[in-house]
Each structure stands twice: as C-alpha cells, then as structure tokens.
Amino acid sequence: MQTLKKYLVTAWQTLFGGPIRAFGVVSVILMLALAIAPAKDHFSQWHGYQRGYLKLIADRSDALSLRRRVIPGLHQIWLPELGVVDRCTTCHEGLKEATLADVPYQPFRKHPAIPHSLENYGCVTCHRGQGPATTVIEAHHSDRAGEDPILPARYIQSGCGQCHQNSLTGTPQLNRGRDTLASYGCVRCHAVNLPGGATITPTDNPPSLVHLADKTTREWVFSWIKDPQAYAASATMPNYKLSDADASDISAFLISSSTPNPGDTATLVTASAKPIDPSAGASLYGESFCATCHAVTNAAGNLVGGNIGPELTRIGNKAKPEWLQAWLNDPRSYDPASPMPHYRFTPQQVATLSQFLLAKSDSDFGANVHLDPATPAQITHGRKLVAELGCAACHQINGVNKPQNYAPDLSRIGSKPLTQLVFLPGMDQTLSTYISAKIKQPRAFGPGLKMPQFTLSNAQNDALTTALLSLSDRSHALPAKLRVTAVPDTTYQPAGHAGKLMTELACFSCHRINGRGSDLAPDLTWEGSAVQRQWLDSFLKNPNTLRPALIRRMPRFNLSDADRKELTDYIMVAYQSPTIDPDTAPSATNPPATVEHGRQLFYSKYACQSCHIADVKTDKGYIGPTLTQVGSRLTPAWIYAWLKNPQALRTGTLEPNQNIGDDDARALTAFLMTLKSSGKQEKK
Amino acid sequence: MSQRSITGAMLLVLAAAAGCKHQPATASAAKPTATGAAIVESSGGKQLGPTGTTLKDPIIVQVNDDQGTALPGALVQFHGPAGVHFEPAEQITDSSGQATATVTLGTIAGRYQLTATTPGKSQPATVQLTEIALGYQQQLGFVLADKYCNRCHDPESSAERVSNYDNLEVKPHPFTEGDTYNKMSDADLLAITQHGGPALNRSALMPPYANTLSPSDLQAILAFIRVVSDPPYRPAGTVYAQK
C-alpha cells in the first residue's frame, strides 16, 4: 500500500511537476487524441485491403490502366428500389477488371461473367451478407438477429430465382429444385406462393385410394407404407417410419374404406381361348413403348425407363390380376385423370400383357407379412392416423377430407429468422444448413414431428435448398417489373369427338399443343400444316419411328378406322399455322435441274447429311429425323418455312437456323420432295 | 516480399473464413495398421460441377503395397486449395485398399488440383486429381454444349443420347482436347461456331449457329471450352508478371 502511494506521487511529480512540464504533457495527450480518427482510418481493415490491391496491381503489366481506375476511400452501391447499400467493392476492388481473372484469391479476383451488372443489382441481392458493413466479419458472417450472413456458393442460383420464376438455361440446380418441389409433391402439404401470387403445380400424380381394395391387398399396403422404396427404389412417396402396429391399422382402415369400382372385378372375355404365348408379353410391352413412361430394374440393377408412370419392377407383388386387366383395358375407368393412354388392347393382348407384368414379382418382398383380420378398433385408430399424418393431402380417401394448411407455409422460407429455428447440436447456425438438414432428416429435429423421410440424393437436396432459399423476403419486396414469371400451362382442350379421343389416348402426356402438355414428343400445334394427310393416317395406324436414335417412341393404339379418320381430320384442320401459306410455297414437283441443285446444296453447302439420312446407302447422320420418305410425309410449304427458320416453327429445336436464302430453300425443298416412300414400304 | 506476406495473410483470412469453420476436428478413431508404397486414382477425377457444390461422384483412391496389391489399413489424407472440403479428409483404407471422399469445390471457378497422400515407407506417396469448378457463364456453356454440340463432338454415347461422332466423315474434336482448342484463338472459335466449318476452310459438316444461339450463349460456350480443355488453356500474354 505504502509503495503504491509512493509510486503514484513520483509519477505525478514527473508528469505535472511544474507548469511548463504540465503544459507539454497535456499537449501531447491532446495531439494523440486528435490523431485517433485518422489513425483508425489508416489501420482499418478495408484500408489494408486497398493497400494490398495497390501492391497487387503494381506488379502487373497493365498496372497503369488498373491504377487509373482505382478510387480510394469507401465505395458504395446504393439502390433504394432493391434495398441495396453495398460497400463490398471497397475491398473487392477488382470485380470488373478482366485481367484480374487469374488472381487465385479474394477479395481481388474478377467477378465471374454473369448477365447482370454490379451497378444495377449490387452484391447482396444474390450473395446476401451485410452490404453496409465495413469489416470482413460483419459483412460476411454476421449472425446478429435479423442479419443475413453470406450465402454459401453452392446455393448461389437461389439469387437468380428471386426474380426469375421461369426456368433459365444457366441455372440447372434451381430448375431441378423447383421441379423436385413439384414432382415430390412438397407443395401438396406446404403452401408455396411465389412473389406475384403464382404457385407451383404438383406433378407427382399420387393415386386415388377410393377403390384401393380392388387394386391390391392389405398386406401389400402394409409393406408399402412401411417402406415405399423397398417396393420401388424410384418411388417418390416418403417413409413415415411407422411402427408395425400403426402400419397395420392404417392398412386396415384404407382397405375397409375402399369402395368397389364396377368393372375392376369383371372377368376378361378373351374372344379366342388361345393359350398365351409367354414370349409375346415382352414384345407387346416393347411395341407399346411402355418403357417410355414406366421403369423396371434390370438384371444389372439399373433402373431403365421413364418416370411418368410408376416403376413396375415388382408390380406382380402389388396388382390383383382382375384389377390389372381392367386397368390395361381402360385406365380411365379406374382413374379418370390418369395420364396413361387407353391403348384399346384386344382381350387377348390384355391377357398377354397382364400375365407378363404379374410375373414381375419378388418373392422376398413382404414375405414375412401376416396380418390378422382387422378389428373395428384398428380401423378407427387407422382412420385417426390417416387424418393426423395428412395422407389425404396427396391421396383421395373415402371419408377423410383433404387437410388445409397441413404443413408450414414456405412462401418466405428463404428468409426465415434464425431466432425461429431450432438447430441440432453441433450444426452450423445458418439458414441454408438448417433447410438442407431439415429436408435430409426431418425427424431428427425432435420427437413427434410429422414431416416424413424422403429418399433424395445429395444433389436433389442441394437443389431443393436452392429453390427454397430463393423464396426470400427480398424476392417478395423486389419491384414487380423485375419479375420474370413462368408461362403456366394453358387449359387447352380440343373439341368434340376428336377431343375425347385425344384425352383417352393421353396425347398431352407426351405432346404439347397450344401451350398445354409435355415436351417428350414434338409439339403438334401446327402439325396440320406440317404433314400430309395420308401419311398422318398411316402413322396413326402404325407408327414407325422417325428418329432411329430415340428411346422414347410413339406407341401404337388400336384405333378403329372411323376414330382414326376423325383424329386425322381434326389434326389436319385445327392445327394449321397462320404463317405457312401453301399457295406461295414451292410446288411438290419441280424440274430435274432444280432437284439436282437442291441435292448438291444438301450434301455440300449445308452438309445436312451430318444429322440426317436422305439416302440409306451413303448417309449416316443420326441426330435429326430420317428423311428417306420425307416427300411423302411433309408438305412443301412446311419444309420451305422450316428451312428458313426452324425455331420460328418450334422453339428450342436443335436444327440450326442456317439463314438459308429463298432460292436455296426452294431448291432444297424440291430435292426433299423427291424422297418418297415406295408403296411397298408404306404398308409395312 | 511484403506482397507475399499480405497475400499470405489474406489467404489465411480466406481459409479461416471459408474452410476451417466447417472442418470438424475429429481425429479419425482408427489407427493405420499398414504402410503403402504407392497410391493411385480409382475414380472420381476430371469431374465438372458448379462452384461451391459437392461433386456428383466421390473420389476414390487406392493404396498399393510394393507388390502392387491393394493394401487395407493404410492412412490416406486428402488436400486441396483453400475452400475445398473433403468428407472425410483423412481415413484408413478399407478392406479393398480404397479410400473414398466426397469433394466440395471451392468458390472460385477453374481447375482444382487435389492430392491424396499416404505416408509410405521412406517418403510419402501422392496422387493428383483434377476437378473443374464452373462459374455461371461456364455452367451455361456446359448446358448449351451438351444440348447442341456434344452429339457430334463427344464420341461417348449415353443411355439417353446416341453419339453421332462415328457417323461423321470429318471428325470433330471433344472440347476437352486442349491440344486442338488451345491453338485456336477466341476469334477463330467464335467464327467457326457462328458461321460453320467453311468460315475456317473446314468441313461444312460443322453447322453455323449464329442465327440459333445468342451472342451471350456463344460466349458461354467459348468460356466452357476454355475451362475444360486439357492441357489447361493459358491465354496468350498473361499479365501476371511476378517480380
């Protein structure tokens, strides 16, 4: 104590011992205080980066021009409309310098090329983070309430999705995420309202369960709801992790609530009692191009086929024979909205195909399932579970209403405040990690949570997270003029008997017409202008494939002559393009010299043989349709218009627009019109 | 010298910011029981993915003993430039002598050299793998090239698409063939893509795309060709003149 006192007294004496000495010391303190502000500036982090930038460019050959564009001090991009106050360019000084594309570290590397400018969109619009901050930590990693940290680069496409609701070529991950929201039916439980009010239409086609007992057994239902992917690896239905008792009760209720559908149980009357040729099933399955929509796991363990309809690897375990026959006979009698065509199979064909399909079974699947007859208590409990689990959000079920707002609204999930989230121990406390983990293992977040377990690849998980992150507060707050909406499908429905036929044949499951339908097969909006009537008629009778390399092909429907004529007439009349004028187009027959000139153009100037086959003896091109009979198939008016601008007739077609002039197009049309089918080939 | 230290410091900051936070400091529970002589790639090199994303396939390397047979129980460590993340970064080879890791690419577009190392008897054995991270424009180019060009330019067929390569009298080159493309200037690559083979006195089997693809699409394809070429493309007159 004593020593301290002595020490303090001496210090006082030394500093303020006399007036002059005291004045000097006070002045020094004052000067130091005045120097704090400039020193703080000088030693600030961003100042350090700016000095670093100057050093970096000093060593480069274009140092002078780089130097000229350096602006010292804080930079700011201020865009009130977008809510952007970004000072990021204070440190990220080289973002626009093309020659700095090779700097292997940040913050000085050039920004990769994107379609938008920094000045008009700022940085945080896509990257998130705190634009006004002036330190690295605050700008990138702020986790204070309500503040967004930088978005991990893997989800950057979510930035695009805030304005672009349409599918962009450059954002495959975002597009895939949105498709997954639709194809896994996420939007059936979760409301997702895009900015501007559009919604996402589910595309997963969950079957109605009102006649379930006609189709399958309670044992199959039990095994399926226990583990859908054990039945079909590609199934999109999630796993609810049900106990045996609960699965048993749910299956009891679903079977008991099912009402019979007249027709499902009718026995098939085969005209001739011919025995079924066992090999005929496989070829009928192939000829009918079932694999265009349905997949089967082959011997090598690969899933082969389309995903429009359910996987059929173990269909024999599921389908009751009578039901399968009734379904093959006419899918719409069981499910009026089915995307499957009514093939008009003969009873013999139905028997053949159903026998072939029923053989696709797996003796291990459901082998140990033995259920005692259902008790009323089980059925009551099953109904309760079905209501609680929200089964009716996807499936139509007798006696259970579709739940409203079953799961949380996701319209702004991309900006959900961290304070409203519960994280798992050890997890990074960011929104993107939360969303990703929640999709991956929803039940890990606490007991009693209802969201089921989906089977998704890591890429699907990332894609979904990207799509959800795009549903941000910012996306809703952006000026409406920046919004690019997706063009929704129209509700186009062809009229009359032809319209009814087109519904039955499910043309829209593959073709697009007047803005409705799928793009598996060519758009038919202007098919009437494109093809010759006789060709269309014979094609509908017996579709031979036009593109040898295609895996998905047009199936053959057993249309009656009258129905086929009706359909042909309708297509020829209703699907005419207003821009194709048969009167001014080249005629179908031309002088040999013109034809020869066209041939030369075809093989030399335009080298069409690189993609097409006009003569099977010499040509090998395998990308576009075979043209050996094109003169019997297409109209000269269509060929001429197509050559001049293919994309004008079908957006996005692969055929390059070669800017072919009038004369060349006429000569090429003349040559192509000479490529006719011989009568013999026509009939095959 | 001072530049170096600043660069180093910044790299550290970056690494601290980007990578380290995610690197769980779990010491692998298993101890190595064997020491290999060589390490080779089994699969997973030469993949493409958007920046910052996890590559579709994991990388798999194999440790061999001096007889060249696969060696279980050897330690393998994966390393990469700042921002690359391996899951797991360190492990013991499995019963078939292999080590498998998923790779998350860094945030900078371009080529990533990854190394897998095993201690070895006298000195460590290493193997290098190259992966490519695509920025926005390169990713767009990838999608477009896949749709419009690869049917002719890629000799490989897939289940969904039969290659047309074998049907062409004059053979195009796959876009990864640096020996061909690195010799061509940006202007020449654009010219042949826009106006077809004849623009460079080449075959008309190469069609023109000037009226089919927009200028920005064509730039994107060019950017894609440049980033995938092997050996890597070095633009003439690189301005980085190290003192």
Side-chain angles (χ1 to χ4, degrees):
Chain A
M1 208 53 208
Q2 274 300 323
T3 33
L4 182 67
K5 199 170 169 191
K6 226 166 85 191
Y7 180 74
L8 280 176
V9 170
T10 348
W12 180 263
Q13 288 289 333
T14 339
L15 287 177
F16 308 109
I20 297 176
R21 182 172 286 209
F23 178 75
V25 171
V26 169
S27 316
V28 167
I29 292 177
L30 193 73
M31 269 169 61
L32 282 178
L34 284 176
I36 287 178
K40 233 174 99 184
D41 207 28
H42 183 81
F43 292 111
S44 71
Q45 209 176 17
W46 60 264
H47 221 97
Y49 282 116
Q50 292 197 339
R51 281 196 301 272
Y53 183 71
L54 289 175
K55 288 216 177 85
L56 169 88
I57 59 176
D59 281 351
R60 302 178 68 99
S61 56
D62 56 344
L64 274 181
S65 59
L66 286 171
R67 187 66 154 277
R68 227 175 290 131
R69 289 189 288 272
V70 170
I71 305 167
L74 275 176
H75 304 183
Q76 184 164 294
I77 298 173
W78 182 43
L79 303 166
E81 263 203 321
L82 309 187
V84 165
V85 184
D86 281 358
R87 297 179 174 161
C88 317
T89 45
T90 307
C91 298
H92 292 274
E93 282 193 283
L95 288 182
K96 292 193 300 186
E97 299 296 354
T99 60
L100 298 187
D102 62 344
V103 179
Y105 52 84
Q106 293 295 17
F108 302 142
R109 191 179 161 90
K110 176 190 170 289
H111 194 281
I114 49 163
H116 296 300
S117 76
L118 219 54
E119 287 80 10
N120 295 337
Y121 291 88
C123 309
V124 297
T125 313
C126 297
H127 287 278
R128 306 194 175 200
Q130 295 306 307
T134 52
T135 66
V136 173
I137 295 291
E138 267 186 43
H140 300 92
H141 305 294
S142 168
D143 52 5
R144 261 176 276 168
E147 293 194 347
D148 240 352
I150 272 281
L151 189 69
R154 66 195 310 160
Y155 306 122
I156 195 66
Q157 289 176 16
S158 67
C160 317
Q162 297 177 113
C163 295
H164 296 271
Q165 295 176 6
N166 57 336
S167 139
L168 292 169
T169 318
T171 59
Q173 182 170 317
L174 172 67
N175 306 347
R176 181 176 193 188
R178 285 182 176 148
D179 288 349
T180 311
L181 285 176
S183 65
Y184 278 70
C186 311
V187 290
R188 289 185 188 274
C189 288
H190 295 279
V192 174
N193 296 304
L194 303 175
T199 52
I200 297 177
T201 314
T203 54
D204 53 340
N205 259 310
S208 154
L209 307 182
V210 295
H211 309 307
L212 180 65
D214 289 359
K215 185 199 273 193
T216 190
T217 61
R218 184 174 156 216
E219 282 71 18
W220 182 85
V221 175
F222 173 88
S223 308
W224 164 260
I225 58 179
K226 283 279 292 179
D227 184 357
Q229 284 69 34
Y231 169 77
S234 65
T236 55
M237 163 133 166
N239 188 329
Y240 282 80
K241 308 275 178 195
L242 297 167
S243 68
D244 282 1
D246 285 355
S248 167
D249 293 358
I250 292 175
S251 63
F253 165 66
L254 290 178
I255 294 293
S256 77
S257 70
S258 160
T259 54
N261 179 39
D264 282 350
T265 43
T267 36
L268 190 73
V269 198
T270 27
S272 59
K274 262 193 284 173
I276 295 163
D277 170 8
S279 68
S283 36
L284 185 55
Y285 185 86
E287 275 165 34
S288 308
F289 293 112
C290 307
T292 298
C293 298
H294 297 281
V296 170
T297 308
N298 64 14
N302 297 324
L303 196 64
V304 181
N307 63 357
I308 299 179
E311 180 184 331
L312 299 179
T313 312
R314 298 184 180 83
I315 181 69
N317 292 79
K318 168 179 169 182
K320 291 185 176 174
E322 310 77 43
W323 173 83
L324 185 58
Q325 295 189 341
W327 173 266
L328 291 170
N329 197 40
D330 180 7
R332 251 156 292 276
S333 92
Y334 181 83
D335 175 6
S338 173
M340 167 143 160
H342 179 189
Y343 274 80
R344 292 154 162 78
F345 289 126
T346 64
Q348 180 76 19
Q349 285 177 315
V350 168
T352 308
L353 207 47
S354 83
Q355 192 194 56
F356 170 74
L357 290 172
L358 290 171
K360 293 189 179 303
S361 74
D362 172 354
S363 55
D364 292 342
F365 179 81
N368 301 319
V369 177
H370 306 289
L371 301 174
D372 292 330
T375 64
Q378 275 189 303
I379 294 175
T380 316
H381 185 236
R383 176 199 298 274
K384 187 166 154 275
L385 286 171
V386 164
E388 276 173 16
L389 295 172
C391 309
C394 296
H395 301 282
Q396 203 184 331
I397 304 172
N398 290 324
V400 183
N401 291 333
K402 189 175 164 66
Q404 296 300 317
N405 302 326
Y406 180 71
D409 186 317
L410 299 182
S411 306
R412 286 174 184 264
I413 179 72
S415 292
K416 198 161 168 132
L418 298 190
T419 47
Q420 293 178 18
L421 304 178
V422 178
F423 289 97
L424 296 179
M427 205 171 128
D428 256 5
Q429 310 244 326
T430 64
L431 180 60
S432 54
T433 356
Y434 171 81
I435 295 179
S436 162
K438 184 82 189 180
I439 299 169
K440 198 172 266 165
Q441 35 175 339
R443 297 282 176 98
F445 284 76
L449 288 176
K450 285 186 195 155
M451 168 145 168
Q453 178 71 51
F454 285 83
T455 303
L456 298 162
S457 67
N458 286 338
Q460 278 176 311
N461 186 291
D462 281 355
L464 274 171
T465 309
T466 306
L468 292 176
L469 284 167
S470 76
L471 301 166
S472 62
D473 283 347
R474 187 182 290 280
S475 75
H476 289 266
L478 285 166
K481 65 168 194 271
L482 291 180
R483 199 175 298 139
V484 188
T485 48
V487 182
D489 255 22
T490 63
T491 53
Y492 167 71
Q493 174 58 38
H497 183 59
K500 187 167 156 281
L501 283 171
M502 287 168 75
T503 304
E504 286 179 14
L505 300 177
C507 304
F508 293 101
S509 293
C510 295
H511 295 279
R512 203 170 173 78
I513 308 175
N514 289 324
R516 174 185 162 205
S518 146
D519 48 15
L520 262 188
D523 189 312
L524 299 182
T525 309
W526 293 329
E527 189 69 358
S529 297
V531 299
Q532 300 177 21
R533 193 183 185 291
Q534 207 196 342
W535 176 84
L536 181 59
D537 186 68
S538 58
F539 184 75
L540 288 174
K541 192 173 190 176
N542 188 9
N544 46 355
T545 176
L546 295 173
R547 288 177 182 74
L550 280 194
I551 294 158
R552 303 195 173 101
R553 293 177 185 172
M554 168 94 170
R556 183 163 119 194
F557 307 113
N558 298 339
L559 286 171
S560 70
D561 286 353
D563 281 352
R564 200 176 67 246
K565 180 176 181 307
E566 184 93 23
L567 203 53
T568 309
D569 285 343
Y570 190 85
I571 293 174
M572 291 308 296
V573 174
Y575 300 145
Q576 287 286 335
S577 160
T579 60
I580 291 182
D581 181 359
D583 297 336
T584 60
S587 71
T589 45
N590 294 279
T594 318
V595 171
E596 185 49 33
H597 180 48
R599 178 197 303 277
Q600 306 229 323
L601 290 173
F602 184 94
Y603 284 108
S604 55
K605 183 166 177 191
Y606 298 109
C608 311
Q609 75 278 19
S610 61
C611 297
H612 297 279
I613 296 171
D615 179 345
V616 282
K617 289 201 259 337
T618 53
D619 310 343
K620 289 191 270 181
Y622 221 52
I623 299 181
T626 303
L627 301 178
T628 47
Q629 307 180 12
V630 68
S632 309
R633 178 162 67 89
L634 298 177
T635 62
W638 175 268
I639 296 180
Y640 176 76
W642 179 269
L643 287 170
K644 297 205 68 175
N645 188 351
Q647 281 73 28
L649 298 181
R650 271 184 203 139
T651 1
T653 184
L654 279 186
E655 166 110 54
N657 175 344
Q658 303 216 36
N659 201 20
I660 299 177
D662 287 355
D663 293 344
D664 282 6
R666 276 174 197 280
L668 280 165
T669 309
F671 166 60
L672 291 172
M673 287 311 293
T674 63
L675 306 175
K676 302 253 192 235
S677 58
S678 61
K680 216 167 95 230
Q681 276 169 312
E682 185 88 70
K683 270 207 219 86
K684 89 164 175 220
Chain B
M1 180 215 106
S2 69
Q3 189 209 341
R4 223 178 260 152
S5 63
I6 284 207
T7 311
M10 275 177 315
L11 275 176
L12 273 180
V13 169
L14 244 184
C20 298
K21 221 173 137 195
H22 303 276
Q23 221 98 35
T26 44
S28 45
K31 287 262 179 306
T33 55
T35 318
I39 185 165
V40 291
E41 175 188 339
S42 295
S43 65
K46 296 196 171 162
Q47 293 186 66
L48 303 176
T51 45
T53 60
T54 304
L55 289 173
K56 187 166 157 280
D57 300 319
I59 55 174
I60 305 179
V61 295
Q62 181 174 322
V63 174
N64 292 332
D65 62 14
D66 32 21
Q67 310 299 311
T69 29
L71 188 69
L75 177 72
V76 173
Q77 288 167 314
F78 293 102
H79 301 279
V84 176
H85 178 64
F86 298 94
E87 187 58 50
E90 191 179 299
Q91 58 189 298
I92 305 294
T93 53
D94 62 11
S95 56
S96 50
Q98 295 189 326
T100 306
T102 58
V103 182
T104 304
L105 297 168
T107 57
I108 286 179
R111 201 164 279 268
Y112 281 79
Q113 290 289 349
L114 314 179
T115 24
T117 311
T118 191
K121 295 244 159 58
S122 50
Q123 66 194 49
T126 63
V127 61
Q128 295 227 327
L129 289 84
T130 306
E131 314 288 0
I132 294 173
L134 304 176
Y136 171 82
Q137 194 186 33
Q138 295 146 347
Q139 167 82 20
L140 175 63
F142 168 71
V143 176
L144 292 168
D146 202 53
K147 178 175 175 191
Y148 290 97
C149 321
N150 283 350
R151 287 155 197 266
C152 289
H153 278 264
D154 183 355
E156 301 292 322
S157 292
S158 70
E160 286 288 298
R161 192 180 67 202
V162 179
S163 171
N164 192 40
Y165 181 84
D166 288 340
N167 304 319
L168 295 166
E169 238 161 62
V170 184
K171 300 295 178 206
H173 296 89
F175 293 135
T176 44
E177 253 179 48
D179 288 337
T180 302
Y181 290 94
N182 293 349
K183 283 192 223 120
M184 297 179 72
S185 66
D186 286 4
D188 277 356
L189 282 177
L190 277 179
I192 192 169
T193 314
Q194 282 177 308
H195 308 298
L200 297 186
N201 278 329
R202 310 276 287 272
S203 163
L205 290 172
M206 166 66 206
Y209 283 94
N211 297 297
T212 310
L213 297 171
S214 69
S216 60
D217 285 352
L218 292 164
Q219 281 295 340
I221 294 178
L222 175 64
F224 170 72
I225 295 177
R226 291 310 193 196
V227 76
V228 293
S229 74
D230 183 19
Y233 173 67
R234 306 225 179 279
T238 302
V239 279
Y240 211 170
Q242 274 279 5
K243 272 196 193 147

